[in-house]
């Protein structure tokens, strides 16, 4: 049973556009929601993360929006660049567990 | 800089072979993980180790075993490789403590079983 559902599977935007990737979770005990970024030939790397006590977190051009009542969170990339082309994974975990539950991934292509 | 290295980037094996995938981290992390990555399925946890000689099954442990004899090294073993184990295998390490701690991933081993 997939506990974190991610959409879309793939996304193409023009440079400067604002791609949005959405994730929904089922387990209300989750209290940590990271996003990992993976470039071709590399392992995933932590991009940004949020706890449910805030509704938004920004780091540079990357923003997580969090809706606790809807059990959804999303990643927005402002002024997207071709160098942002990568696969993005959302994930969720709870403090009492070491496990990260990953979404299925979104392959983003930013055209020049 | 945390460095997680995996012994091979690409590996081709035959059905029934015993396969060893090695992972080494240089940051003295207590926790180490093995995942497999398949298109449309994301990353799925195979095994987790929180200390030397300690291990826990993840979500898909069937057909795999692990070994952690030294803190820096975590090995994934396919006892008898099958074609459905063709996949990308990712190792990660993480400091002990809160699950909020970042997981640091290696570059992956793409395994093909013929």
């Amino acid at each position: 049973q997939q506990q974190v559902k991610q959409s879309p599977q793939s996304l193409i935007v023009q440079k400067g556009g604002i791609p949005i990737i959405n994730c929904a979770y089922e387990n209300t005990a989750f209290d940590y929601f990271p996003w990992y970024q993976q470039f071709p030939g590399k392992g995933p790397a932590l991009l940004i993360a949020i706890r449910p006590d805030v509704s938004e977190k920004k780091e540079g051009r990357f923003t997580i929006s969090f809706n606790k009542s809807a059990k959804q969170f999303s990643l927005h990339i402002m002024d997207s660049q071709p160098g942002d082309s990568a696969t993005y994974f959302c994930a969720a975990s709870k403090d009492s567990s070491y496990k990260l539950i990953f979404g299925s991934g979104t392959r983003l292509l930013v055209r020049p | 800089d945390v460095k997680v290295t995996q012994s091979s980037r690409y590996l081709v094996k035959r059905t029934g072979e015993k396969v060893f995938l090695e992972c080494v981290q240089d940051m003295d992390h207590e926790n180490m993980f093995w995942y497999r990555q398949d298109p449309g399925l994301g990353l799925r946890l195979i095994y987790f180790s929180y200390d030397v000689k300690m291990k826990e099954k993840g979500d898909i442990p069937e057909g795999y075993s692990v070994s952690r004899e030294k803190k820096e090294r975590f090995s994934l073993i396919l006892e008898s490789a099958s074609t459905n184990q063709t996949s990308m295998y990712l190792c990660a390490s993480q400091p002990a403590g809160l699950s909020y701690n970042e997981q640091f991933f290696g570059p992956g081993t793409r395994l093909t079983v013929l």
Side-chain angles (χ1 to χ4, degrees):
Chain A
Q1 183 183 5
Q2 188 180 8
Q3 297 186 49
V4 179
K5 293 185 179 179
Q6 183 171 348
S7 62
Q9 190 170 20
S10 63
L11 191 53
I12 301 174
V13 299
Q14 291 295 129
K15 178 183 173 182
I18 306 176
I20 300 173
I21 304 170
N22 300 298
C23 285
Y25 62 97
E26 299 165 5
N27 189 339
T28 55
F30 288 150
D31 60 2
Y32 174 64
F33 303 90
W35 286 87
Y36 279 75
Q37 179 188 53
Q38 183 181 30
F39 292 107
K42 305 284 188 182
L46 180 65
L47 180 64
I48 186 173
I50 196 168
R51 298 281 310 279
D53 51 347
V54 297
S55 60
E56 186 176 277
K57 183 173 181 180
K58 285 185 184 180
E59 286 187 7
R61 296 183 293 105
F62 299 91
T63 299
I64 300 179
S65 298
F66 184 80
N67 185 329
K68 188 174 181 178
S69 60
K71 293 187 287 184
Q72 295 175 347
F73 58 109
S74 59
L75 177 70
H76 302 232
I77 305 175
M78 308 302 289
D79 186 27
S80 60
Q81 302 295 311
D84 297 328
S85 298
T87 299
Y88 293 82
F89 293 97
C90 63
S93 74
K94 48 187 179 179
D95 183 34
S96 58
S97 169
Y98 59 84
K99 276 175 77 170
L100 270 179
I101 308 299
F102 284 89
S104 54
T106 297
R107 182 174 286 184
L108 171 66
L109 176 64
V110 181
R111 293 197 192 279
Chain B
D1 250 9
V2 174
K3 195 165 185 184
V4 179
T5 56
Q6 296 184 228
S7 51
S8 306
R9 294 301 301 272
Y10 300 93
L11 209 51
V12 180
K13 295 292 182 181
R14 298 218 172 264
T15 301
E17 280 192 78
K18 190 169 186 175
V19 181
F20 293 86
L21 303 182
E22 305 285 336
C23 175
V24 178
Q25 52 97 1
D26 66 358
M27 283 302 291
D28 203 35
H29 287 169
E30 287 75 13
N31 298 344
M32 295 188 75
F33 305 80
W34 274 106
Y35 294 90
R36 65 176 281 176
Q37 179 179 2
D38 299 287
L41 296 178
L43 279 68
R44 292 179 292 166
L45 182 64
I46 304 172
Y47 265 98
F48 161 65
S49 170
Y50 53 91
D51 202 349
V52 175
K53 297 190 187 296
M54 306 304 288
K55 62 186 179 186
E56 284 190 17
K57 293 180 179 179
D59 297 317
I60 51 165
E62 296 78 18
Y64 304 95
S65 62
V66 290
S67 172
R68 194 163 179 203
E69 297 296 319
K70 293 185 177 181
K71 189 176 186 180
E72 68 271 19
R73 188 179 298 269
F74 191 34
S75 303
L76 180 69
I77 304 156
L78 287 66
E79 296 291 342
S80 178
S82 63
T83 55
N84 62 12
Q85 292 178 309
T86 291
S87 186
M88 171 70 83
Y89 290 87
L90 291 164
C91 174
S93 73
Q94 179 192 47
L98 299 176
S99 66
Y100 311 149
N101 290 330
E102 178 178 355
Q103 290 190 20
F104 295 88
F105 284 85
T109 295
R110 185 165 295 280
L111 172 67
T112 301
V113 182
L114 302 175

